[in-house]
Amino acid sequence: MSEHIVPKKTYYAVFGALMVLTALTVFVARFDLPGILNITVALTVAVIKATLVVLYFMHVRYSSRLTQVIVAAGIFWLVIMLVLTASDYVTRNLLAPVARISM
Amino acid sequence: MSTAVIHTPAEGAAEPRTTYLNAGHTLKSWLLTLDHKRIGILYLLGVSFFFLIGGIYATLIRLELLTPQGDLVTAQTYNKLFTQHGIMMTFFFLIPSIPAVFGNFLLPIMIGAKDVAFPRLNLLSWYIYMTGALFASYAMFAGGVDTGWTFYPPYSTNYANTYVIATGLGIFIVGFSSILTGLNFIVTIHTMRAPGMTWYRLPLFVWAQYATSLIQVLGTPVLAITLLLVALERTVGVGIFDPRLGGDPVLFQHLFWFYSHPAVYIMVLPAMGVVSEIIATFSRKPIFGYKFVAFSSLAIAVFGFLVWGHHMFTSSQSVYAGMIFSLISYAVAIPSAIKVFNWTATMYRGSISYDSPMLYAMGFIGLFLIGGLTGLFLAALGLDVHVHDTYFVVAHFHYVMVGGSLLAYLGAMHYWWPKMTGRLYPEGWARFAALVVFVGFNLTFFPQFILGYLGMPRRYYTYVPEFQLLHVLSSVGASILAVGLILPAIYLLWSLKRGPIAPADPWMATGLEWRTSSPPPPENFERTPVVTWNAYEFRSKEETEVIGPMGKPDVSERK
Amino acid sequence: MAQSEATAQHSVVHHPALAHHFENLEQQREASTLGMWIFLITEIMFFGGLFLAYSIYRSWYPQVFAEASHHLDIVLGGINTVVLITSSLTMALAVYYSQVGNQRKLILFLVLTLLLGLTFLGIKVVEYSHKFHDGLIPGVHFRYDGPNPQQAQIFFWLYFAMTGLHALHMIIGAGILSFLIYFAWRGRYSPEYHSPVEVSGLYWHFVDIVWIFLFPLLYLVGFHVKG
């Protein structure tokens, strides 16, 4: 089970895609989109870029199943932390709405 | 130790044999060693020291609580006592205890490897531990810290005038030693297993270590960043946890318990692994439902990350989040109960011998059961409001951490002592000490359940006179417990010089660690073993006496 | 698993880089790659705590965060994004040349990666000094003209914590690259043994990924608000 050598062409293609996505995210950020659309677009683009780096630059697409599971576990645990904490913050004021001093 | 008599004397009795112990005698050969066994011993020295320190603090606490009024120490000193006790015991003793001492010593041997995957990293982790310990000790001697081991803001960030940063830094540093140990074990278990050592042939101790390592790797970084935030908030004062400046102190509790609840499983999972080994050996039966026990370790590790909010029911956490956390907390009981059930089923109709490790293991099962079940009381939203921050909680987690982890640690110490040192200890004293520990422990902590239920809050240095009887009982129990802990220290040290030479397999146990000599050679095995059997394939005592000391027939015999 | 297939009486030629406790180079390589990945998981959780804090406070104070982010230099941030992604490409190519055994190009691309990393850090220094000049360093000297200065301070606090930790990782990465260049120049790496290059590459790409998230969260969050 010798390692997989990714052709240079793939690296250049991924690099191109990353550049285009960077330009895209800066471009979209200029417009005032309704609601949470701005942050949604920005994060979606960031996730796509990160996925490209992980899959191709970090060879996870060609790696062993074990490596893939580890990567998935890392993301899963981060999501656990974010989601369960958010479950507090999102529902905290449902029972007794309090006006918060802010904004 | 009566079973040991039938064996032929240890192989090396006639001519001196190179073991990991006599491979080098200089201080340098210990301080720069890359041998996982020596690093395990180094850790043993470190954690024993901090156990002693933590014990001294506990003694002072129990002395102060003998009388209702505060007449031994001031309130401020008392705050420092319980804080230092908690910090020393959790971060510097319990978390590294079984993984860093017995995991380091045994894990590579159990899987048939020469060493862990990254020996240098392993040594580094000990030095990191000692560096962190240095910071914490400095803080301790300079004046201590009084925030409680949980460092809740805004007290820790805005008000406490004690050595919060030095202590926090110590724990921050020690965390990295824990991460490195976990990382090393995961990689070792994945890549270093001997030929034929498949996952389902691994001893359950290895499975438990694997699950523990997952928690160490996934949880500890969050604690690190949390303590960093506290330290920065204290120095710069920007209000990330300060409600006056727009921050949220509850966010600290989320971050802290995201690590510190799973950390409870860092303490108890390896203990469960130890108990699995001991129960199987002294019942002379394979563990009932091997795969269930193995996967329940992983399940506990995963579920452990989903329940941290049950520490925060009485904070301003959302009630809805509280409900979710409460429900998932109940789910943790399932894999824990599977283990208890399977250990009991293993003992059922087994050929049980009541040697000292077995006494500790059986003590573990009973006390962990109480600790676990009272945990369910606390996971119930409504009841927790009543008993939160009372002695009920104190009693609960001491049943898990002392009744559970410490008893298993002592059990492991007795079980593997002949392997680690090559000497046998006086079994009669060992059984007596196990009994003393059990009695002393229950007398110390059972009254605390009642105290807590009656409304005695934790972390108070005075109390109403009605509580005195229960407090005195608890203090008396603590004295008995102390005797039970000093005894092993004496006879184990005695055995180092005077104890009879231990055979390779004094317990007629299975497992690769018993197939190499006691103490093991530096490379663990003369030849890399080839494993063709499952874990815990025991023969009957009679068969063993006829065929030989090893629990398993040789490979050649099989073929 | 490789070693379960391997037999006890292995017949691998002993490579000078093979540590005594491994059976063969394949096992050693597998271990180091796995080790690095697990280390990166700890890094995810480490930064994760800060991302959590960011999410909470941004959801509490969206307006303040948007306005505060106007004080960041989007041009410098954008340039740094491009620099860092390019350095990821050169690092990936360095790994490629170590795999095929082209030592000259390996050194060339390692040096390029190092230079790009240093460029990133240089630009970061410029940005930080601007912030210092504008009094936007959280603490007693914090000066902020807009509304809700305390909440804006939380934004800047997060900005410095996140980019500061990221920069620290870049500095460590630059150190690692220097070692790699030295040993590559000494000719230590070959198609059989180059896992140090490979695992350092993983680390470098991870640091890049962190920035990929930091850039939109910190710099672009208020771009659309008229400031």
Side-chain angles (χ1 to χ4, degrees):
Chain A
M1 44 183 277
S2 67
E3 60 189 319
H4 187 278
I5 298 184
V6 183
K8 275 188 287 180
K9 220 170 49 191
T10 313
Y11 289 138
Y12 289 124
V14 170
F15 175 71
L18 290 173
M19 283 302 159
V20 170
L21 286 165
T22 307
L24 177 75
T25 190
V26 174
F27 176 73
V28 173
R30 298 166 61 97
F31 300 102
D32 194 1
L33 303 175
I36 55 164
L37 217 54
N38 270 106
I39 189 78
T40 314
V41 171
L43 280 179
T44 310
V45 171
V47 167
I48 296 172
K49 282 163 76 179
T51 313
L52 285 175
V53 174
V54 169
L55 287 184
Y56 294 99
F57 282 178
M58 298 172 93
H59 303 165
V60 167
R61 203 189 143 190
Y62 315 100
S63 299
S64 65
R65 180 64 58 86
L66 177 62
T67 311
Q68 294 172 347
V69 169
I70 289 175
V71 176
I75 297 164
F76 178 67
W77 253 266
L78 182 64
V79 169
I80 287 179
M81 183 164 75
L82 296 176
V83 167
L84 277 179
T85 312
S87 81
D88 170 17
Y89 285 88
V90 172
T91 62
R92 200 182 272 184
N93 293 336
L94 284 186
L95 212 56
V98 190
R100 223 182 10 246
I101 350 104
S102 79
M103 256 57 89
Chain B
M1 204 104 337
S2 54
T3 50
V5 187
I6 56 163
H7 303 318
T8 48
E11 303 86 341
E15 54 194 289
R17 187 170 51 82
T18 311
T19 70
Y20 83 99
L21 284 172
N22 64 18
H25 291 286
T26 57
L27 190 63
K28 196 180 143 205
S29 75
W30 279 92
L31 291 181
L32 294 181
T33 181
L34 297 179
D35 186 335
H36 65 99
K37 299 180 287 298
R38 285 195 163 198
I39 296 171
I41 300 291
L42 290 177
Y43 264 115
L44 177 62
L45 297 177
V47 301
S48 302
F49 176 74
F50 283 102
F51 181 63
L52 181 68
I53 301 275
I56 292 172
Y57 279 113
T59 312
L60 293 172
I61 292 171
R62 281 324 314 172
L63 270 179
E64 164 59 44
L65 291 175
L66 269 175
T67 55
Q69 59 283 38
D71 38 22
L72 180 69
V73 294
T74 61
Q76 169 83 25
T77 312
Y78 186 77
N79 290 347
K80 288 179 180 172
L81 291 183
F82 68 71
T83 303
Q84 292 290 354
H85 169 70
I87 288 170
M88 292 307 167
M89 286 300 201
T90 31
F91 295 113
F92 294 92
F93 172 68
L94 277 170
I95 287 178
S97 63
I98 298 179
V101 178
F102 296 106
N104 254 328
F105 193 97
L106 294 163
L107 192 132
I109 310 184
M110 280 180 163
I111 65 173
K114 291 195 190 97
D115 207 322
V116 291
F118 308 114
R120 272 170 226 283
L121 223 51
N122 202 14
L123 181 65
L124 179 68
S125 87
W126 184 74
Y127 277 100
I128 295 177
Y129 171 81
M130 292 310 282
T131 313
L134 211 64
F135 275 94
S137 308
Y138 157 73
M140 181 172 76
F141 289 116
V145 60
D146 66 345
T147 57
W149 74 281
T150 48
F151 293 103
Y152 272 18
Y155 185 59
S156 63
T157 50
N158 290 356
Y159 301 107
N161 269 327
T162 47
Y163 291 80
V164 176
I165 292 183
T167 313
L169 201 60
I171 297 169
F172 176 86
I173 295 170
V174 151
F176 286 98
S177 114
S178 182
I179 290 174
L180 290 183
T181 304
L183 189 156
N184 226 332
F185 286 179
I186 294 179
V187 177
T188 306
I189 296 170
H190 270 291
T191 61
M192 309 283 287
R193 281 171 288 124
M197 182 55 98
T198 59
W199 281 87
Y200 292 131
R201 283 175 177 168
L202 289 174
L204 287 164
F205 180 74
V206 177
W207 277 92
Q209 279 297 341
Y210 187 81
T212 311
S213 304
L214 283 182
I215 304 176
Q216 288 176 307
V217 162
L218 288 162
T220 320
V222 180
L223 177 76
I225 196 77
T226 313
L227 290 172
L228 210 60
L229 294 186
V230 169
L232 286 174
E233 169 123 17
R234 249 184 103 79
T235 44
V236 188
V238 288
I240 200 112
F241 298 131
D242 187 345
R244 290 175 310 178
L245 299 175
D248 183 16
V250 178
L251 179 62
F252 169 87
Q253 298 186 22
H254 278 296
L255 288 167
F256 180 82
W257 289 113
F258 179 85
Y259 165 75
S260 293
H261 188 73
V264 175
Y265 301 110
I266 297 181
M267 304 176 211
V268 85
L269 271 172
M272 291 169 157
V274 168
V275 170
S276 298
E277 297 296 313
I278 295 177
I279 293 280
T281 298
F282 294 95
S283 308
R284 304 207 61 73
K285 268 178 71 187
I287 283 284
F288 179 82
Y290 172 93
K291 286 190 186 176
F292 276 92
V293 179
F295 282 107
S296 64
S297 290
L298 293 182
I300 290 175
V302 174
F303 279 131
F305 274 102
L306 308 176
V307 300
W308 77 83
H310 66 216
H311 294 267
M312 302 162 59
F313 287 159
T314 60
S315 72
S316 67
Q317 177 185 239
S318 146
V319 182
Y320 297 101
M323 289 175 192
I324 298 170
F325 282 123
S326 174
L327 269 175
I328 312 176
S329 302
Y330 276 89
V332 185
I334 300 168
S336 313
I338 288 176
K339 281 186 189 282
V340 172
F341 175 80
N342 285 10
W343 291 324
T344 324
T346 306
M347 285 160 66
Y348 177 66
R349 308 192 71 164
S351 165
I352 299 178
S353 43
Y354 296 95
D355 292 292
S356 49
M358 185 62 165
L359 296 182
Y360 283 111
M362 288 164 74
F364 174 97
I365 297 179
L367 300 181
F368 176 74
L369 199 65
I370 298 178
L373 288 175
T374 49
L376 288 181
F377 292 29
L378 295 167
L381 259 176
L383 186 57
D384 183 66
V385 173
H386 178 64
V387 289
H388 182 83
D389 261 356
T390 66
Y391 266 74
F392 194 88
V393 178
V394 175
H396 154 69
F397 69 72
H398 279 94
Y399 262 81
V400 176
M401 290 179 192
V402 183
S405 307
L406 181 66
L407 253 64
Y409 177 76
L410 290 171
M413 188 76 85
H414 287 81
Y415 185 50
W416 282 297
W417 185 262
K419 180 54 63 186
M420 294 170 84
T421 63
R423 298 287 180 154
L424 299 171
Y425 50 83
E427 174 66 14
W429 279 105
R431 290 187 197 184
F432 176 65
L435 203 68
V436 174
V437 167
F438 187 79
V439 171
F441 171 81
N442 279 297
L443 191 56
T444 313
F445 292 105
F446 203 82
Q448 297 188 2
F449 277 125
I450 306 169
L451 274 172
Y453 197 75
L454 293 176
M456 170 80 202
R458 69 193 281 200
R459 297 176 172 173
Y460 276 36
Y461 81 129
T462 57
Y463 50 86
V464 289
E466 290 92 314
F467 290 155
Q468 190 170 15
L469 175 65
L470 289 166
H471 268 302
V472 169
L473 277 179
S474 183
S475 293
V476 170
S479 324
I480 298 174
L481 181 58
V483 172
L485 294 174
I486 292 168
L487 272 178
I490 296 170
Y491 63 71
L492 288 178
L493 287 178
W494 174 87
S495 79
L496 283 180
K497 281 271 173 256
R498 306 284 174 79
I501 301 289
D505 185 8
W507 314 113
M508 294 188 287
T510 65
L512 284 178
E513 79 268 33
W514 305 110
R515 295 178 62 88
T516 185
S517 42
S518 306
E523 295 268 291
N524 294 344
F525 301 97
E526 274 155 38
R527 260 171 309 155
T528 307
V530 180
V531 182
T532 55
W533 57 87
N534 292 322
Y536 317 116
E537 275 186 21
F538 287 96
R539 294 172 181 177
S540 70
K541 265 182 190 161
E542 295 72 29
E543 255 185 309
T544 318
E545 280 172 29
V546 175
I547 300 173
M550 291 299 190
K552 295 307 315 152
D554 275 306
V555 192
S556 48
E557 234 174 291
R558 272 274 165 118
K559 290 273 164 74
Chain C
M1 296 298 97
Q3 82 293 344
S4 46
E5 288 143 26
T7 48
Q9 57 275 16
H10 55 97
S11 55
V12 185
V13 185
H14 197 83
H15 192 279
L18 178 65
H20 81 284
H21 58 291
F22 288 111
E23 294 287 332
N24 51 48
L25 275 175
E26 177 64 29
Q27 187 190 25
Q28 183 171 342
R29 182 179 152 266
E30 206 185 0
S32 57
T33 313
L34 189 58
M36 177 49 84
W37 271 111
I38 291 165
F39 174 72
L40 293 184
I41 298 295
T42 71
E43 291 278 31
I44 292 182
M45 300 311 288
F46 192 68
F47 280 100
L50 285 173
F51 278 106
L52 175 63
Y54 175 91
S55 321
I56 301 298
Y57 292 122
R58 189 187 175 277
S59 73
W60 275 15
Y61 314 123
Q63 293 318 109
V64 182
F65 269 43
E67 277 154 25
S69 86
H70 269 285
H71 293 259
L72 303 185
D73 194 328
I74 202 160
V75 176
L76 289 183
I79 293 174
N80 254 352
T81 309
V82 172
V83 168
L84 208 50
I85 291 178
T86 313
S87 81
S88 251
L89 174 71
T90 54
M91 188 72 220
L93 289 171
V95 173
Y96 171 85
Y97 286 115
S98 77
Q99 287 170 329
V100 298
N102 186 334
Q103 197 197 336
R104 262 192 50 241
K105 290 216 165 155
L106 166 64
I107 296 174
L108 170 71
F109 278 99
L110 285 176
V111 170
L112 274 178
T113 312
L114 179 61
L115 288 179
L116 287 165
L118 294 177
T119 312
F120 177 93
L121 286 169
I123 294 178
K124 209 71 225 153
V125 168
V126 173
E127 275 193 85
Y128 278 176
S129 60
H130 285 173
K131 298 290 159 300
F132 184 76
H133 185 74
D134 296 344
L136 291 172
I137 311 284
V140 279
H141 300 297
F142 184 73
R143 268 190 301 114
Y144 183 75
D145 304 328
N148 300 302
Q150 290 176 339
Q151 290 150 12
Q153 184 175 235
I154 291 184
F155 174 84
F156 283 104
W157 196 94
L158 284 164
Y159 166 77
F160 279 105
M162 293 167 114
T163 57
L165 269 182
H166 179 263
L168 180 68
H169 281 78
M170 293 287 297
I171 293 169
I172 294 170
I176 294 172
L177 279 170
S178 313
F179 272 103
L180 288 183
I181 292 167
Y182 173 72
F183 284 120
W185 173 67
R186 293 279 301 268
R188 185 188 280 201
Y189 305 125
S190 62
E192 294 82 47
Y193 174 72
H194 57 266
S195 54
V197 183
E198 205 183 328
V199 298
S200 311
L202 292 177
Y203 173 84
W204 192 261
H205 296 310
F206 172 80
V207 178
D208 183 23
I209 289 175
V210 173
W211 185 259
I212 285 178
F213 282 96
L214 290 183
F215 178 59
L217 289 179
L218 295 172
Y219 290 82
L220 298 181
V221 67
F223 200 23
H224 58 90
V225 181
K226 302 287 166 282

